Amino acid sequence: MSLDWLRAFAIAAAAAVVAPALGAQPSLADALAEADRGAYGNRIAAASTRAADAAALAPLRGILPTVRVEAGYIRTTDPIGAFGSTLRQRTITQADFAPDRLNYPSAVGNYQGGVVIEQPLFNADAWAGRQAAERAADASEAQQEWTRLSTRADVVRAWYGAVFASERVNSLTDAQRAARAHVAQAESMLREGLVTKSDVLLAAVRAGDLDAQLAEAEGAAINAHRQLAVLLGREGGDRGVGPAPGVALPSADRIRAVLAADTADVPVRRRADIAAAEQGVRAARADARRARSVYLPRLNTFARYDWNSPDALYAGDENWTVGVMASWNLFAGASDVSDVRATSHRAERARAASDAAHARARLEIEESRTALAVALTRLTIAERAADQSAEAHRIVARKYSGGLATVVELLDAQAVETGSALGLAGARYAAIAAAAERRRALGQDPGTIAVLDEGAPVAGHAAPDDTTIDQPSR
């Protein structure tokens, strides 16, 4: 079994493990949709949001009415319990007032049933707690959106990273094939006495170096597909959606046409991470109010119906009771003091975190703009270098054909061309990755970069929305 056959099999296997189940050619849009549904980070964030939404219901206990049903049975010879049960059953007779019977009653059984309705009228801590929980749920939802956008940026980088890895394998495979042909030609020329032994050995060394680079590139390609699969939430990373074999990175011209507008100094939309930080501040402040509200008076009402019978539950005549209860917790110990102080400090921490989020956003916006501008500049330089090295290789090849250059010089020129081609591919990938980070920093959807793969020409590429990052509220 030849080494070429093994390599072809490895590349085909890498493509097979990432092909979609139905056999349709996958796209970046497919990968982004799958990440939205199944990426581990997105699933964790969604579960956290659902938990926060559920937690926001807990404070309603001090706001909404409660209804409960009670049922029980007692049998007692306690003088007060026995007389009270008989009285509740409305079976008291004159004989029940006899001193001996009052002091030493016979055992009395009582089935007691009741329906109780309680309606809070004013519980300030419950209302503040409800507001804090709602703001915390809003913060969690905003953080979930930021996680989704960040994951989409990661998917864009991983998708095009897999494409770049495959393109690198293809370039090195072509270079290796050409290098082997040159080595074979040099060996033939050695037998004819046209070149020296050292020329053949040096050519073999150059070809061996390409073998090592190709082996490394093949492993990197397989790992790139597996990493993309894990990012999409595929367990084990062995069944992920990935780019089809033969897919290449977009051309430098198309990259510039699509991404050049992203380098403009434009206002940006309000980022989800900033929204999460600001909602966190509101939640922390409301929680601090909740802690202080325990010292305010409480006012609650209740109503109940009771049935008492010696024979069955909810039998006999009913009794009703209604009432209003006011209470004022003047001092309940050090726990309330601790809660007040802790929530106050947590509000300070949330405020500092919000300020940090604003500062970090402004820094990321500027850094991403610079990084994308640099990446596009390097793309232009790499494109020029690739053209120059290709022309240089053609010149050396003509000189070699005319006997004016050695096979080592030819292989050196080929290596330079291969390196420049790989450098151009790397520059194309770096520009795409920088653009994905730029759009995330601007609060936009990095997945819109998928337009790079569309065949239609790009004209009048839209600039980011004309909205601004809100300044932190004090």
Side-chain angles (χ1 to χ4, degrees):
M1 184 179 296
S2 68
L3 185 60
D4 287 340
W5 192 93
L6 282 173
R7 286 179 175 140
F9 176 78
I11 295 173
V17 299
V18 297
L22 297 180
Q25 279 205 349
S27 67
L28 175 56
D30 296 330
L32 291 168
E34 182 171 352
D36 288 343
R37 294 189 306 269
Y40 296 119
N42 288 341
R43 285 160 52 191
I44 293 171
S48 297
T49 298
R50 290 192 294 269
D53 287 339
L57 299 176
L60 293 177
R61 179 180 180 87
I63 299 173
L64 298 180
T66 60
V67 180
R68 69 177 184 271
V69 177
E70 298 176 347
Y73 175 78
I74 63 169
R75 187 169 180 83
T76 181
T77 59
D78 174 69
I80 294 178
F83 186 82
S85 295
T86 305
L87 185 60
R88 289 191 179 95
Q89 295 167 5
R90 291 188 171 86
T91 58
I92 289 290
T93 64
Q94 187 66 37
D96 292 318
F97 290 92
D100 287 345
R101 193 164 184 176
L102 286 173
N103 290 323
Y104 302 100
S106 300
V108 174
N110 181 52
Y111 288 92
Q112 181 178 12
V115 177
V116 183
I117 301 175
E118 297 176 343
Q119 173 60 64
L121 295 181
F122 178 74
N123 290 311
D125 60 328
W127 287 98
R130 169 66 173 171
Q131 188 179 37
E134 287 178 334
R135 298 292 81 77
D138 292 341
S140 182
E141 184 176 355
Q143 188 60 48
Q144 178 186 351
E145 174 62 13
W146 183 247
T147 299
R148 187 184 74 88
L149 291 179
S150 298
T151 299
R152 288 172 77 84
D154 292 339
V155 170
V156 169
R157 286 191 290 265
W159 178 273
Y160 285 110
V163 174
F164 169 56
S166 297
E167 193 167 321
R168 184 165 176 255
V169 169
N170 294 335
S171 295
L172 288 171
T173 299
D174 293 340
Q176 181 207 47
R177 190 178 298 115
R180 286 184 174 179
H182 292 324
V183 170
Q185 185 180 14
E187 290 174 344
S188 175
M189 295 173 68
L190 175 63
R191 288 191 292 270
E192 296 175 3
L194 300 177
V195 298
T196 65
K197 179 71 171 178
S198 61
D199 290 331
V200 176
L201 294 175
L202 288 174
V205 170
R206 298 290 194 278
D209 182 59
L210 283 173
D211 289 341
Q213 292 183 49
L214 179 58
E216 178 187 0
E218 288 170 346
I222 294 175
N223 288 336
H225 283 84
R226 287 175 175 168
Q227 289 166 4
L228 174 61
V230 171
L231 180 60
L232 299 184
R234 296 297 188 97
E235 185 176 355
D238 58 349
R239 294 183 295 111
V241 174
V247 174
L249 290 167
S251 68
D253 288 339
R254 184 163 185 82
I255 290 174
R256 279 190 290 266
V258 174
L259 305 181
D262 289 349
T263 60
D265 184 13
V266 296
V268 296
R269 71 171 64 225
R270 186 166 182 253
R271 295 185 2 164
D273 62 330
I274 291 178
E278 292 180 347
Q279 291 292 356
V281 173
R282 297 185 180 100
R285 288 175 174 172
D287 194 41
R289 289 195 298 273
R290 188 267 317 156
R292 293 192 299 269
S293 296
V294 298
Y295 293 109
L296 296 178
R298 302 170 184 264
L299 188 63
N300 300 285
T301 64
F302 68 93
R304 63 180 299 142
Y305 272 87
D306 294 288
W307 291 265
N308 293 272
S309 169
D311 303 314
L313 283 171
Y314 302 103
D317 293 333
E318 70 273 6
N319 306 309
W320 61 265
T321 305
V322 296
V324 178
M325 178 66 69
S327 61
W328 194 350
N329 180 20
L330 297 177
F331 182 73
S335 60
D336 287 343
V337 176
S338 172
D339 194 23
V340 169
R341 292 182 179 179
T343 53
S344 176
H345 295 321
R346 284 196 291 268
E348 294 175 3
R349 181 182 63 189
R351 176 71 269 163
S354 178
D355 292 343
H358 281 84
R360 183 172 58 249
R362 289 189 290 270
L363 176 61
E364 289 178 356
I365 289 168
E366 292 304 319
E367 285 183 338
S368 64
R369 180 188 176 193
T370 301
L372 179 56
V374 171
L376 291 176
T377 300
R378 287 182 173 176
L379 176 61
T380 300
I381 296 171
E383 191 176 22
R384 184 167 59 248
D387 292 339
Q388 293 170 344
S389 62
E391 179 62 22
H393 185 198
R394 285 192 292 270
I395 293 173
V396 174
R398 287 196 299 269
K399 292 173 64 179
Y400 177 74
S401 298
L404 300 177
T406 67
V407 67
V408 175
E409 291 174 325
L410 178 63
L411 288 174
D412 285 342
Q414 177 195 341
V416 172
E417 181 184 15
T418 300
S420 297
L422 294 177
L424 177 57
R428 285 147 65 202
Y429 168 71
I432 295 172
E437 179 57 28
R438 172 65 170 166
R439 296 190 180 187
R440 186 193 74 94
L442 294 173
Q444 299 177 355
D445 180 6
T448 55
I449 289 179
V451 72
L452 281 171
D453 291 336
E454 298 175 5
V458 178
H461 182 62
D465 293 350
D466 189 14
T467 52
T468 59
I469 293 181
D470 295 343
Q471 293 301 315
S473 57
R474 298 289 178 181

